[in-house]
Structures are given as structure tokens and as C-alpha cells.
Amino acid sequence: MGNIERRQLLDRNRLSGESYLASLLQEGHACGALSDSDLESIQLQCIKFLAHKSEEYNDSFSSSLRVETAESIMKSNLYTIGLYLKSLPDIDSALGELRTMPITEMYRKGRRLINAKFHAARHLYELTQNNRLSTDNYTYSATLTDTGIGLFFRVYDPDYKAHEFPASIDYQLCHPVTDLVGVEFIQKYLENLYLENEFCGYFTAEDIHRLLLGYDPGYRDLPVNIFEHVLGAVLGCVLVERDLRALHISPEDVQLLQNRLSGPDDATLVMGLCMASGIILEELSIASPALQRYINQTLDKVKASIVYALKTHTLDKVFAPSTNRQVKQGIRFVSSAKMD
């Protein structure tokens, strides 16, 4: 009976994915699952382990350490332990481990998980390189380079900076990764990017280029999400009964959509999007459950964009008419390292 009451008192929504251990300690203590003595014991163990890791960091040559470095090592330790606790089947199991298992053992198990996630993320990086899009968009291309997200796999420090993700990531996903740091962030980012690439791979690079030109002639230098625009165009094609593989919507089609989707409530729009989603999955023969979920997850976001566009008469930004016009390339200046 106590466990049931505890589950009801413990607010799962307050458990942070970024600082899981700290939030679990706070919530566990607030609901009575962790006593004052439990907290004191855990804190003392964390401090002792920090001393050990600091000595290890200095290679036993010095006992002094910059405050910022010590803070970073502590955050890294807590992140690693939290990663292990997060992997357990439920919160009760995590609280039980906190009460009984030494901090050093939880760290060891978390460190092993970091290794596994690092290798999984590197494999995902290779997959995204294989299904990457041929596009002129700068943020997309720059992110998928060795100096972009590839930098992470060369400089990530899982022993002392496990909570950091050193990489240059400018490309915005349709569903941004939030409340995650370290290798978890990189792994989730690459999972989402792979799915977006997979969907866009059903269409030619030239058709996508014309679609994005229709959205904005300067799309090359804009932080646009390609997947969202492609999915919007496909939905529009289905709703006006055009060939969805061509990604071509005319200005007349946009006006037709404005008339069809406007109404006193969202019922017509919701039904239309659900119907269109089913047709897309069938027409493109999308069998991947993960990609199906990602597309369906995006429908709510597309619906919100359409509702706003209908009110502001900017539906051409959601269902962008494709164009063949070309624009003059701008000049981009990228500075190197500054002189002293």
C-alpha cells in the first residue's frame, strides 16, 4: 500500500531528463521514499567520489583543481549515475538502488551505458551520412560534417564531461530534442534526423529544391526544416488530389485549400489531415513503425501551423507553391581564428 501511495505522491513530470539524479533525490525525499539519512549518505558518497575522480583527473600529481573543473566533474558524475537510474524499469527500482547500491557501482554501470550509447550514436551518424539529402541549405550541410556533429565523436569526454555534447549543430529538427544532454542528446538528435532524411528520400533533390525556392528564394541561408516543408507539400498535394511525389502545388491550389480548410471548427481540418496521412503511408509504402510515428507526431504541429496560416492568410508558407526560378548566390564570409 505504501508503494502505491508513494507513486501517487511522486510527481513524474518533475523528473528532469537533463538532471535526473538531482530531481529524483528531490522528489524521492519530498514523498518520503528517501529519508534524511539516505540523502546524507548519498551526498557524502558523491563528495568522496568527486575527490577520487579529481585525483584521477590530475593523474595524482596535484591535489589542487579549479572550481569550474571540479563542478564540471561533479556534473559529469551525477549525469552518469542518473543515466543508469533512468535505464531502470520504474521509479521504485531507481529509488531502491539509491538506498542500497554504492554510488561507485551506479557510476560504473552508468559509464558502461554511456559507452553503449556512444557506439549506437556513431552508428546512427554513419546512417545519416548514407541517407543524407543533397541540398544547398547551409545549416543542414554544415551540421552533417566532421566539424559539425561529427566533432562530437572525436572530442567527447565521457569520464569528466559526460554531460556535455561538444558539436556544432545548427540545423533545426522538426521535433527539437529537449531535456537531454550528453550522448543522449546526440543519439536522439541523430535518430530524428535519420527519420526526416528517410522520409525526404522518397522525393528527388530537384523537386525538394523547387519546393524550398517557392517557400523562400534565399532558403539556402535560412534555418529551415526540410522535412516539415516536404511533409506539408505532400499533405497539400493529397488534399487537392495531385501527384504527391511531384511536391508541386500551384497558387490556385493554395487558394483552394484556403477555402476547403476554413470552417467554424477544426473538425474538417483534423479529418482531412488524418485521411491524407493514411494515403501518404500507403502511396509511399512506408512500413517503418518509427517513421510512421514520427509523421503522425508531426500532424499536430502541422495542424497548428495551418490554423494560424488560415487566420493570417499565409497558407502559402505551409503549402509552399514550388517554383523553377533561380536566385543569385549570395556571398558568405566565414572567419578563421582571430590573430592575437
mmCIF file of all heavy atoms in Angstrom, residues 205-223:
data_model
loop_
_atom_site.group_PDB
_atom_site.id
_atom_site.type_symbol
_atom_site.label_atom_id
_atom_site.label_comp_id
_atom_site.label_asym_id
_atom_site.label_seq_id
_atom_site.Cartn_x
_atom_site.Cartn_y
_atom_site.Cartn_z
ATOM 1 N N ALA A 205 15.883 15.339 -55.223
ATOM 2 C CA ALA A 205 16.529 16.544 -54.702
ATOM 3 C C ALA A 205 16.066 17.780 -55.468
ATOM 4 O O ALA A 205 15.902 18.856 -54.892
ATOM 5 C CB ALA A 205 18.047 16.399 -54.799
ATOM 6 N N GLU A 206 15.821 17.626 -56.773
ATOM 7 C CA GLU A 206 15.390 18.764 -57.589
ATOM 8 C C GLU A 206 13.993 19.228 -57.190
ATOM 9 O O GLU A 206 13.729 20.438 -57.112
ATOM 10 C CB GLU A 206 15.420 18.383 -59.075
ATOM 11 C CG GLU A 206 15.128 19.531 -60.027
ATOM 12 C CD GLU A 206 16.107 20.689 -59.884
ATOM 13 O OE1 GLU A 206 17.284 20.439 -59.533
ATOM 14 O OE2 GLU A 206 15.688 21.842 -60.092
ATOM 15 N N ASP A 207 13.087 18.285 -56.940
ATOM 16 C CA ASP A 207 11.734 18.662 -56.521
ATOM 17 C C ASP A 207 11.746 19.352 -55.153
ATOM 18 O O ASP A 207 11.007 20.309 -54.917
ATOM 19 C CB ASP A 207 10.827 17.429 -56.473
ATOM 20 C CG ASP A 207 10.425 16.941 -57.861
ATOM 21 O OD1 ASP A 207 10.493 17.758 -58.803
ATOM 22 O OD2 ASP A 207 10.068 15.757 -58.009
ATOM 23 N N ILE A 208 12.585 18.856 -54.251
ATOM 24 C CA ILE A 208 12.707 19.490 -52.935
ATOM 25 C C ILE A 208 13.298 20.892 -53.076
ATOM 26 O O ILE A 208 12.858 21.836 -52.418
ATOM 27 C CB ILE A 208 13.566 18.627 -51.990
ATOM 28 C CG1 ILE A 208 12.850 17.308 -51.670
ATOM 29 C CG2 ILE A 208 13.879 19.372 -50.695
ATOM 30 C CD1 ILE A 208 13.660 16.343 -50.828
ATOM 31 N N HIS A 209 14.275 21.022 -53.955
ATOM 32 C CA HIS A 209 14.895 22.334 -54.202
ATOM 33 C C HIS A 209 13.852 23.333 -54.707
ATOM 34 O O HIS A 209 13.773 24.468 -54.211
ATOM 35 C CB HIS A 209 16.015 22.166 -55.225
ATOM 36 C CG HIS A 209 16.583 23.451 -55.735
ATOM 37 N ND1 HIS A 209 17.256 24.347 -54.935
ATOM 38 C CD2 HIS A 209 16.550 24.007 -56.984
ATOM 39 C CE1 HIS A 209 17.625 25.389 -55.659
ATOM 40 N NE2 HIS A 209 17.211 25.214 -56.906
ATOM 41 N N ARG A 210 13.016 22.909 -55.678
ATOM 42 C CA ARG A 210 11.993 23.809 -56.215
ATOM 43 C C ARG A 210 10.961 24.175 -55.147
ATOM 44 O O ARG A 210 10.480 25.310 -55.093
ATOM 45 C CB ARG A 210 11.303 23.174 -57.421
ATOM 46 C CG ARG A 210 12.144 23.159 -58.689
ATOM 47 C CD ARG A 210 11.283 22.898 -59.904
ATOM 48 N NE ARG A 210 10.746 21.548 -59.877
ATOM 49 C CZ ARG A 210 11.312 20.522 -60.521
ATOM 50 N NH1 ARG A 210 12.422 20.705 -61.222
ATOM 51 N NH2 ARG A 210 10.773 19.321 -60.461
ATOM 52 N N LEU A 211 10.641 23.195 -54.306
ATOM 53 C CA LEU A 211 9.691 23.448 -53.222
ATOM 54 C C LEU A 211 10.229 24.501 -52.257
ATOM 55 O O LEU A 211 9.521 25.442 -51.885
ATOM 56 C CB LEU A 211 9.408 22.143 -52.463
ATOM 57 C CG LEU A 211 8.655 22.267 -51.136
ATOM 58 C CD1 LEU A 211 7.218 22.722 -51.378
ATOM 59 C CD2 LEU A 211 8.677 20.951 -50.371
ATOM 60 N N LEU A 212 11.486 24.365 -51.860
ATOM 61 C CA LEU A 212 12.074 25.299 -50.906
ATOM 62 C C LEU A 212 12.291 26.678 -51.530
ATOM 63 O O LEU A 212 12.198 27.699 -50.846
ATOM 64 C CB LEU A 212 13.391 24.740 -50.370
ATOM 65 C CG LEU A 212 13.253 23.462 -49.519
ATOM 66 C CD1 LEU A 212 14.618 22.915 -49.130
ATOM 67 C CD2 LEU A 212 12.420 23.727 -48.275
ATOM 68 N N LEU A 213 12.567 26.726 -52.836
ATOM 69 C CA LEU A 213 12.644 28.014 -53.528
ATOM 70 C C LEU A 213 11.299 28.727 -53.483
ATOM 71 O O LEU A 213 11.238 29.949 -53.344
ATOM 72 C CB LEU A 213 13.065 27.816 -54.989
ATOM 73 C CG LEU A 213 14.556 27.698 -55.295
ATOM 74 C CD1 LEU A 213 14.760 27.472 -56.786
ATOM 75 C CD2 LEU A 213 15.317 28.916 -54.827
ATOM 76 N N GLY A 214 10.220 27.930 -53.593
ATOM 77 C CA GLY A 214 8.889 28.521 -53.516
ATOM 78 C C GLY A 214 8.584 29.070 -52.138
ATOM 79 O O GLY A 214 7.877 30.077 -52.004
ATOM 80 N N TYR A 215 9.142 28.427 -51.125
ATOM 81 C CA TYR A 215 8.957 28.926 -49.757
ATOM 82 C C TYR A 215 9.714 30.225 -49.558
ATOM 83 O O TYR A 215 9.179 31.204 -49.035
ATOM 84 C CB TYR A 215 9.428 27.875 -48.746
ATOM 85 C CG TYR A 215 9.511 28.387 -47.333
ATOM 86 C CD1 TYR A 215 8.364 28.639 -46.589
ATOM 87 C CD2 TYR A 215 10.759 28.645 -46.742
ATOM 88 C CE1 TYR A 215 8.444 29.130 -45.292
ATOM 89 C CE2 TYR A 215 10.842 29.126 -45.452
ATOM 90 C CZ TYR A 215 9.680 29.369 -44.725
ATOM 91 O OH TYR A 215 9.771 29.863 -43.455
ATOM 92 N N ASP A 216 11.001 30.231 -49.964
ATOM 93 C CA ASP A 216 11.816 31.443 -49.860
ATOM 94 C C ASP A 216 13.003 31.290 -50.802
ATOM 95 O O ASP A 216 13.761 30.322 -50.695
ATOM 96 C CB ASP A 216 12.305 31.651 -48.425
ATOM 97 C CG ASP A 216 12.889 33.036 -48.208
ATOM 98 O OD1 ASP A 216 13.858 33.387 -48.915
ATOM 99 O OD2 ASP A 216 12.376 33.768 -47.348
ATOM 100 N N PRO A 217 13.189 32.238 -51.731
ATOM 101 C CA PRO A 217 14.317 32.147 -52.666
ATOM 102 C C PRO A 217 15.677 32.079 -51.968
ATOM 103 O O PRO A 217 16.640 31.560 -52.527
ATOM 104 C CB PRO A 217 14.189 33.430 -53.500
ATOM 105 C CG PRO A 217 12.763 33.824 -53.382
ATOM 106 C CD PRO A 217 12.343 33.406 -52.004
ATOM 107 N N GLY A 218 15.745 32.573 -50.752
ATOM 108 C CA GLY A 218 17.006 32.537 -50.014
ATOM 109 C C GLY A 218 17.073 31.427 -48.991
ATOM 110 O O GLY A 218 17.766 31.555 -47.981
ATOM 111 N N TYR A 219 16.367 30.319 -49.250
ATOM 112 C CA TYR A 219 16.287 29.242 -48.257
ATOM 113 C C TYR A 219 17.649 28.641 -47.927
ATOM 114 O O TYR A 219 17.837 28.042 -46.861
ATOM 115 C CB TYR A 219 15.346 28.138 -48.740
ATOM 116 C CG TYR A 219 15.978 27.131 -49.681
ATOM 117 C CD1 TYR A 219 16.633 26.008 -49.206
ATOM 118 C CD2 TYR A 219 15.924 27.303 -51.072
ATOM 119 C CE1 TYR A 219 17.214 25.085 -50.054
ATOM 120 C CE2 TYR A 219 16.498 26.395 -51.929
ATOM 121 C CZ TYR A 219 17.143 25.284 -51.426
ATOM 122 O OH TYR A 219 17.732 24.375 -52.272
ATOM 123 N N ARG A 220 18.603 28.816 -48.848
ATOM 124 C CA ARG A 220 19.942 28.242 -48.616
ATOM 125 C C ARG A 220 20.558 28.746 -47.323
ATOM 126 O O ARG A 220 21.300 28.037 -46.652
ATOM 127 C CB ARG A 220 20.865 28.585 -49.791
ATOM 128 C CG ARG A 220 20.455 27.974 -51.126
ATOM 129 C CD ARG A 220 21.373 28.493 -52.228
ATOM 130 N NE ARG A 220 21.080 27.895 -53.513
ATOM 131 C CZ ARG A 220 20.174 28.377 -54.369
ATOM 132 N NH1 ARG A 220 19.478 29.456 -54.030
ATOM 133 N NH2 ARG A 220 19.960 27.782 -55.524
ATOM 134 N N ASP A 221 20.260 29.993 -46.986
ATOM 135 C CA ASP A 221 20.874 30.607 -45.811
ATOM 136 C C ASP A 221 19.926 30.705 -44.625
ATOM 137 O O ASP A 221 20.261 31.348 -43.623
ATOM 138 C CB ASP A 221 21.376 32.010 -46.167
ATOM 139 C CG ASP A 221 22.417 31.986 -47.275
ATOM 140 O OD1 ASP A 221 23.349 31.174 -47.172
ATOM 141 O OD2 ASP A 221 22.282 32.762 -48.234
ATOM 142 N N LEU A 222 18.766 30.068 -44.732
ATOM 143 C CA LEU A 222 17.780 30.147 -43.650
ATOM 144 C C LEU A 222 17.813 28.879 -42.793
ATOM 145 O O LEU A 222 18.085 27.787 -43.303
ATOM 146 C CB LEU A 222 16.372 30.330 -44.226
ATOM 147 C CG LEU A 222 16.098 31.621 -44.990
ATOM 148 C CD1 LEU A 222 14.662 31.624 -45.507
ATOM 149 C CD2 LEU A 222 16.330 32.838 -44.102
ATOM 150 N N PRO A 223 17.491 28.984 -41.508
ATOM 151 C CA PRO A 223 17.415 27.789 -40.644
ATOM 152 C C PRO A 223 16.080 27.073 -40.809
ATOM 153 O O PRO A 223 15.282 26.987 -39.882
ATOM 154 C CB PRO A 223 17.581 28.379 -39.239
ATOM 155 C CG PRO A 223 16.982 29.749 -39.348
ATOM 156 C CD PRO A 223 17.297 30.236 -40.738
#
